[in-house]
Amino acid sequence: CVKNSYLRNIAKLSIRSRESRNKKIIIIGSLIPDTRYQLDLAKEVQIYNSMIEIISKKHEVNREDIWYKHHPRLSYESWKYKKNNMKCTFYAYEDVHLIDTEFENDNVVGVYSVGSTALLYAKVIYDISSYLIDITNQSCHPSAYAKAKYIAKKFNIPICTV
């Protein structure tokens, strides 16, 4: 079975650390800003901070228990800006492990993203509450995030609009 093979391989990559127990919510980052549109880094941070407030209340967790995992191709300058301006805990920039390995952590109760495929894995394979952050009402690439919304609907992933 593909699922079992996937789970065995992810388990081999899994790294347990003391900080794992603090991770209750994971926000999986994406490469949102696009020079062709008006959704810049500052607006992206504003969207995430609005979501962090909602997430904190919804799941009754402190902001320190909400972790942001950046996209692997995010520039260091963008990561640093986000780290300095977002109201949550950050994975280190050098941390390049697959986010899927975090789904092995029993303390993780929710996963949020604007469209990472890992969001689907968290929901379907690990049965972790997963939520799509809908940015289709923002000035961004129209089809990229519409596809994520379509997939979320197909798999009954709740959609959060900021």
Side-chain angles (χ1 to χ4, degrees), residues 17-23 67 90-92 95 102 105:
S17 67
R18 289 182 49 186
E19 69 183 19
S20 289
R21 67 177 170 257
N22 298 332
K23 295 173 185 162
W67 286 70
F90 267 62
Y91 285 83
D95 188 340
E102 293 289 356
N105 181 351

Side-chain angles (χ1 to χ4, degrees), residues 115-130:
S116 172
T117 53
L119 183 70
L120 184 60
Y121 305 151
K123 165 79 173 173
V124 175
I125 296 174
Y126 292 93
D127 198 31
I128 298 172
S129 296
S130 301

Side-chain angles (χ1 to χ4, degrees), residues 25-118:
I25 304 293
I26 298 172
I27 299 173
I28 304 170
S30 186
L31 298 174
I32 297 174
D34 186 330
T35 55
R36 297 173 295 176
Y37 303 96
Q38 297 170 352
L39 183 52
D40 62 4
L41 196 56
K43 179 65 176 170
E44 179 186 5
V45 166
Q46 181 184 358
I47 290 167
Y48 280 130
N49 280 336
S50 296
M51 279 307 306
I52 289 164
E53 291 301 318
I54 293 167
I55 292 166
S56 182
K57 289 175 186 166
K58 177 180 180 55
H59 297 281
E60 298 177 346
V61 297
N62 295 321
R63 290 186 281 180
E64 296 79 27
D65 296 329
I66 302 171
W67 286 70
Y68 179 84
K69 173 70 168 146
H70 66 282
H71 189 280
R73 292 192 317 266
L74 184 70
S75 73
Y76 178 74
E77 293 76 22
S78 294
W79 174 85
K80 192 172 173 183
Y81 178 85
K82 287 180 179 185
K83 186 176 188 322
N84 289 335
N85 291 285
M86 284 173 58
K87 301 173 184 173
C88 63
T89 307
F90 267 62
Y91 285 83
Y93 184 74
E94 300 79 19
D95 188 340
V96 294
H97 77 278
L98 290 173
I99 193 61
D100 307 46
T101 61
E102 293 289 356
F103 304 153
E104 299 270 314
N105 181 351
D106 293 336
N107 294 320
V108 175
V109 297
V111 177
Y112 288 76
S113 179
V114 297
S116 172
T117 53

